[in-house]
Amino acid sequence: MKSTIGKRRYRINPETLQLEHIEHGFRYWLRRSGGYIIGGVCLGIIFFYVFLYFFPSPREASLMQQNRNLTAQMNVIEAQVDQMQIVLSDLSQRDDNLYRAILGAEPIPLSARRGATQEISYYDSIARMTNTQLAADIQRKVDILEKELYVQACSYDEILELAKNQETKMENIPAIQPVLNKDLKRMASGYGWRVDPVYHIRRFHEGMDFSAPVGTDIYATGNGTVTFAGWRQGYGQTVEIDHGFGYATLYAHCHKLFARPGKKVKRGDVIALVGNTGKSTGPHVHYEVHYNGKPVDPRNYYFYDLSPEEYDIMVQLAGNMGNMMD
């Protein structure tokens, strides 16, 4: 049996039944101190990890705040990129459906606008970096946006050049009748299937015939360069003009030629006189308009010469003319 009096410890000796003072050796005190030390160390470790988990260091707190600020900034940038993408998409639609359509240019394919994007592995490598998938998403959007902006800038440069050329194009395109014909009484035959005056069979008439006295002025119907002036089988004395932009005109059965190959002419210049040469049944000029190497209906190219009302009359007259003069 043990008891404690003050700070000293005692025990009853079973043989003598007397209290004896307990003397502790070094090992006792070592075990007792070791227990306290180990307990203190364990408690310290627990408090250390609790503090580490719930209470970041000043450096960590600063880094965490910087990370929150960076994330907020990236979210703002992503929203701005999305807004720019909407604006650019609207510009692209206007470019294809309005500006390029007016100027006769082909729309730019979507594949050409966006181009070849980076490989998936490139964005995966960004996603594996310290700051999440958000960086990869923004990088991908910026790459696409940069490509589209470049293509759009090039497109506007092209449109500007087309607009500059449009004035030249309008000056060159055939736009008047080859002879003075204000009362529309000089039109003898229209474009299309007609009866040949010599062989009396139906044949496709690739131009329009304008009857007029021999010596009547024949005008260039648009600016261009004379590519041929001379005799052509069946057409007689003939002038051909290249107007550029895919357009060319032909004036046949002339009496006298003023134009020479290589000569630059302007709309309204007198290039020849009406005659009756070649396969012709009377004085007239046979007039053709060609676009990209194929004959087209000349009556669609008198917009500088005819009012809408006069054009309607021209269409009606051209449809009623069943014979041709060549």
Side-chain angles (χ1 to χ4, degrees), residues 130-181:
T130 54
N131 211 353
T132 70
Q133 182 67 34
L134 185 60
D137 292 338
I138 293 178
Q139 182 66 51
R140 185 182 293 109
K141 290 181 180 180
V142 169
D143 287 345
I144 295 174
L145 185 62
E146 182 180 19
K147 175 65 177 178
E148 291 186 1
L149 285 172
Y150 173 76
V151 173
Q152 189 62 58
C154 292
S155 177
Y156 280 143
D157 289 341
E158 181 185 355
I159 287 175
L160 180 60
E161 192 64 27
L162 289 171
K164 291 179 180 177
N165 292 336
Q166 193 70 5
E167 183 177 357
T168 302
K169 182 177 180 180
M170 293 306 296
E171 292 174 350
N172 286 30
I173 291 178
I176 62 173
Q177 297 175 90
V179 295
L180 193 62
N181 187 28

Side-chain angles (χ1 to χ4, degrees), residues 65-235:
Q65 183 61 42
Q66 291 179 17
N67 187 56
R68 286 193 293 269
N69 294 340
L70 181 60
T71 302
Q73 291 174 1
M74 293 177 72
N75 286 328
V76 171
I77 293 174
E78 185 179 26
Q80 291 174 337
V81 169
D82 290 340
Q83 188 62 37
M84 285 190 291
Q85 187 64 55
I86 293 173
V87 174
L88 182 57
S89 177
D90 181 62
L91 291 175
S92 300
Q93 291 182 7
R94 291 187 188 182
D95 183 22
D96 288 340
N97 301 327
L98 181 60
Y99 307 138
R100 301 181 75 83
I102 290 175
L103 296 173
E106 291 294 327
I108 299 176
L110 182 60
S111 58
R113 287 189 179 277
R114 296 197 170 184
T117 56
Q118 298 281 3
E119 295 182 359
I120 298 300
S121 58
Y122 170 75
Y123 298 107
D124 288 342
S125 64
I126 296 178
R128 288 193 296 269
M129 294 180 183
T130 54
N131 211 353
T132 70
Q133 182 67 34
L134 185 60
D137 292 338
I138 293 178
Q139 182 66 51
R140 185 182 293 109
K141 290 181 180 180
V142 169
D143 287 345
I144 295 174
L145 185 62
E146 182 180 19
K147 175 65 177 178
E148 291 186 1
L149 285 172
Y150 173 76
V151 173
Q152 189 62 58
C154 292
S155 177
Y156 280 143
D157 289 341
E158 181 185 355
I159 287 175
L160 180 60
E161 192 64 27
L162 289 171
K164 291 179 180 177
N165 292 336
Q166 193 70 5
E167 183 177 357
T168 302
K169 182 177 180 180
M170 293 306 296
E171 292 174 350
N172 286 30
I173 291 178
I176 62 173
Q177 297 175 90
V179 295
L180 193 62
N181 187 28
K182 290 186 176 180
D183 56 6
L184 302 180
K185 293 182 178 180
R186 287 184 168 174
M187 201 191 74
S189 179
Y191 173 90
W193 290 97
R194 298 291 183 267
V195 178
D196 188 289
V198 176
Y199 302 109
H200 304 291
I201 59 174
R202 292 184 77 246
R203 180 169 63 85
F204 194 84
H205 193 226
E206 295 183 346
M208 294 184 72
D209 294 336
F210 293 87
S211 62
V214 173
T216 301
D217 290 338
I218 299 175
Y219 305 107
T221 57
N223 297 357
T225 303
V226 177
T227 56
F228 179 82
W231 185 273
R232 191 177 289 283
Q233 182 66 34
Y235 288 94

